[in-house]
Amino acid sequence: MSPPDLVMYEEEYQQIREILERLRSDSNAKFTFLVDKNGQQIASSGDMAGVDATSLASLTAGNVAATDGLAKLIGEKEFSILFHEGERDNIHISLVARRVILVVIFDERSSLGLVRLRVKKGSQELERVFEVLVEKAEREGPAAAHFDSPFAEITDEDIDSLFSE
């Protein structure tokens, strides 16, 4: 079962951005970004010019989902870290708080060891931010997770009557 959707507050969003920026800088990575398990980008740091962030986020979530399936096939709960090595760039993918996916793209200016070390620290910081978000959501109740749509009171009958003569 996946965790329920959360409302992102400005304060926590800024904290997440700061953590991603510090992780990028401390690990000499090209860029870092955070996506949810549905493939929606939450935040990023670094120059992502020339990178289709939407596709990268979606494919990352798909990669994690496929790997979860592989883990279950061999009796593992999950593989919490994925690493892809390319000729120029490498991708380090890790799950944070079983809720979001942390992606670090790095090249020869860094190393897998350094990235793993910095990701561990950054993941712990991100987990604390998400704990606060969960606490806020629980305190404010389910109404905080849903906003009132201006179209909520429009029924199917209203739409049918609008287009019928």
Side-chain angles (χ1 to χ4, degrees), residues 7-23:
V7 173
M8 181 64 65
Y9 296 91
E10 182 66 25
E11 180 181 355
E12 284 76 21
Y13 176 71
Q14 290 305 326
Q15 290 173 355
I16 289 169
R17 289 192 51 152
E18 290 170 13
I19 293 167
L20 292 179
E21 175 58 29
R22 190 170 41 255
L23 172 59

Side-chain angles (χ1 to χ4, degrees), residues 4 12 14 16 31 40-41 52 62 83 87 107 153:
E12 284 76 21
Q14 290 305 326
I16 289 169
F31 57 89
Q40 298 293 316
Q41 183 179 344
D52 181 352
F83 174 67
E87 286 183 27
D107 58 17
E153 60 192 36

Side-chain angles (χ1 to χ4, degrees), residues 8 14 16-17 28 46 48 52-54 60 68 70-71 77 91 97 99 110 121 132 135 144:
M8 181 64 65
Q14 290 305 326
I16 289 169
R17 289 192 51 152
N28 283 338
M48 294 183 64
D52 181 352
T54 302
T60 298
D68 277 352
L70 288 172
K77 193 173 176 182
I91 301 176
R99 176 177 294 277
S110 187
K121 182 181 177 199
V132 169
E135 289 171 10

Side-chain angles (χ1 to χ4, degrees), residues 9 16 47 63 94 104 131 136 159:
Y9 296 91
I16 289 169
D47 182 15
N63 189 352
S94 56
V104 179
E131 286 172 8
K136 278 186 174 181
I159 294 171

